[in-house]
Amino acid sequence: RPPRSTLFPYTTLFRSTGELYAINADGSGAMQLFGARAAGGATGTRTKRGGAQRSASAQVIDLLPGDERHILIATFDWRNSEQAPPSAERLDVYTGKTTRVAVGPKAGASFVADHEGKVRVAVAPNDRLNPVMYLRAGKGDEWGVFNDPDQSGAIITPLLFARDNRHLYATIERADKADALYRIDLGDGKRELLYEGGADPGLLLLPPDRLDAYGVMTYDGKTAVHVFDTASQFGRLALSLQQAFPGQAAVFGSFAEDGKFGLVQVFSDRNPGDFYLFDTAKKNAEYLASARKWIEPEQMATMQPVRFKARDGLEINGYLTLPRGGDGKNLPLIVNPHGGPHGPRDYWRSEEHTSELQSLTNIVC
């Protein structure tokens, strides 16, 4: 399942066939690992075909850090995709061979693995198409219902296991409020609120080993970073970045494996994005490059978060951009409404910054 911010209307026109490919960093050794065209010799291409040919699609569940040979994938059989539950399989990225490690509780299930590579959480729609969260102790154990929204009145979306493999980061959707981010104890079900605002929480921010989270991107008006683990080294560094770049959003996009360096992106409604190499020991940032360097941020108009009530009392959020240097009076109005009612929205950022934020999304996730 792709991150929410990568879901565009174009998905109704272009659908993934669920084929997986591998390639070395230098461009060599390209291979199709999984899909209907995975087996046999390739014609008119330098891409090698490996693994078994299967009438199925695949999605990556987990990259299994520490295991350079395997990843976890969910596979969906085209011949019986509406009735049969998907499988979780361990895929050899050098040969394309797979080994089944779990079967979903119901058709349409998606999976979350813990940091030991055990598939322990699944989400599948019930007869009313509401997502039910399932939990199991480990490999070979039966799935049990952890949350049924028809009974609890809340929809839980699992995101990431915490470092201890007992707690789970998840968003909880309520009917009358924006989603909130929680850390849930899978043993006793207790919930710790980490973030709640006027808009749904965004991307979890992870340390270099990606075994936990220290913060979350927020989009309640201006794009910002909310740090909920101030005891974490990288949570404290994230707070220091906000102080170093006031009036802008500053976020770690990725880290070196040893955590000594991080790539920082700084952006705002007027700045398409500046990139810095951050030394986590010396706590200094070295400028690397800018997106759309020809744009002068100080010459750009600002995006002002606005909030008003409609005639029926419903509170509506949006952004207002006024010409620079004017008083904002007697101006023509351009309204940019979105589709919906769920999903599409604007963000506090430079419109030129869309593709860079999308790249950051892929890095962080």
Side-chain angles (χ1 to χ4, degrees):
R1 183 181 57 195
R4 291 183 183 178
S5 53
T6 65
L7 296 176
F8 291 102
Y10 310 113
T11 55
T12 60
L13 301 176
F14 304 100
R15 296 186 181 276
S16 168
T17 56
E19 295 171 292
L20 301 180
Y21 295 82
I23 189 171
N24 292 326
D26 62 3
S28 64
M31 173 187 287
Q32 182 172 359
L33 296 173
F34 187 96
R37 296 172 289 183
T43 303
T45 176
R46 295 183 179 180
T47 302
K48 180 182 177 182
R49 299 182 182 181
Q53 186 178 24
R54 293 175 61 177
S55 298
S57 58
Q59 294 178 352
V60 176
I61 301 172
D62 197 285
L63 298 180
L64 299 179
D67 185 344
E68 297 184 355
R69 190 173 187 94
H70 300 93
I71 63 173
L72 279 179
I73 63 172
T75 63
F76 303 85
D77 193 321
W78 294 348
R79 295 165 297 184
N80 197 26
S81 59
E82 293 186 1
Q83 293 79 28
S87 297
E89 303 180 22
R90 187 181 297 269
L91 172 68
D92 189 316
V93 298
Y94 290 93
T95 67
K97 304 298 183 182
T98 62
T99 304
R100 178 180 290 179
V101 297
V103 176
K106 290 187 64 177
S110 59
F111 303 100
V112 178
D114 66 16
H115 298 307
E116 295 179 353
K118 298 177 182 177
V119 178
R120 293 174 48 206
V121 171
V123 175
N126 61 18
D127 294 338
R128 292 164 50 87
L129 299 183
N130 289 325
V132 177
M133 177 177 160
Y134 296 84
L135 178 68
R136 66 177 192 164
K139 183 178 179 180
D141 293 313
E142 296 294 324
W143 292 104
V145 173
F146 184 83
N147 178 71
D148 184 342
D150 290 351
Q151 302 297 323
S152 67
I155 294 175
I156 298 179
T157 301
L159 301 175
L160 176 78
F161 272 88
R163 189 177 300 274
D164 61 6
N165 281 332
R166 176 186 173 95
H167 292 81
L168 183 77
Y169 294 100
T171 57
I172 297 182
E173 177 181 334
R174 289 82 51 87
D176 57 343
K177 297 181 180 179
D179 295 0
L181 177 67
Y182 286 84
R183 183 162 40 215
I184 303 175
D185 189 321
L186 297 179
D188 56 22
K190 291 183 179 179
R191 304 172 182 177
E192 176 188 0
L193 178 64
L194 300 178
Y195 172 77
E196 182 179 34
D200 294 348
L203 305 168
L204 283 178
L205 301 177
L206 314 181
D209 62 12
R210 305 180 68 82
L211 298 180
D212 225 312
Y214 61 82
V216 63
M217 296 292 294
T218 63
Y219 306 113
D220 188 0
K222 293 185 177 182
T223 301
V225 171
H226 173 75
V227 175
F228 49 75
D229 185 1
T230 56
S232 161
Q233 172 194 0
F234 297 96
R236 294 193 299 271
L237 290 177
L239 290 174
S240 69
L241 283 179
Q242 311 313 304
Q243 297 173 355
F245 298 97
Q248 302 191 82
V251 58
F252 285 107
S254 59
F255 291 96
E257 289 187 4
D258 58 10
K260 292 182 179 179
F261 294 95
L263 180 65
V264 173
Q265 187 173 15
V266 180
F267 60 92
S268 71
D269 55 338
R270 298 189 297 167
N271 178 11
D274 298 322
F275 296 88
Y276 295 84
L277 183 66
F278 190 90
D279 187 318
T280 58
K282 298 180 180 179
K283 297 181 176 56
N284 62 4
E286 177 185 351
Y287 171 79
L288 295 177
S290 294
R292 292 161 175 83
K293 199 171 184 178
W294 58 88
I295 291 179
E296 299 291 342
E298 62 273 10
Q299 296 180 7
M300 304 296 290
T302 61
M303 289 179 68
Q304 303 174 33
V306 294
R307 182 175 296 173
F308 59 94
K309 285 189 177 182
R311 286 177 296 178
D312 62 358
L314 178 67
E315 196 168 66
I316 297 176
N317 295 276
Y319 295 96
L320 176 65
T321 297
L322 299 174
R324 293 179 63 251
D327 59 6
K329 298 180 179 180
N330 300 319
L331 295 172
L333 175 66
I334 299 175
V335 179
N336 181 20
H338 277 297
H342 304 291
R345 59 155 291 177
D346 273 325
Y347 295 87
W348 184 81
R349 67 189 184 209
S350 166
E351 287 303 311
E352 297 291 339
H353 178 238
T354 303
S355 61
E356 281 72 29
L357 187 62
Q358 198 58 47
S359 298
L360 179 66
T361 297
N362 296 332
I363 291 172
V364 173
C365 284

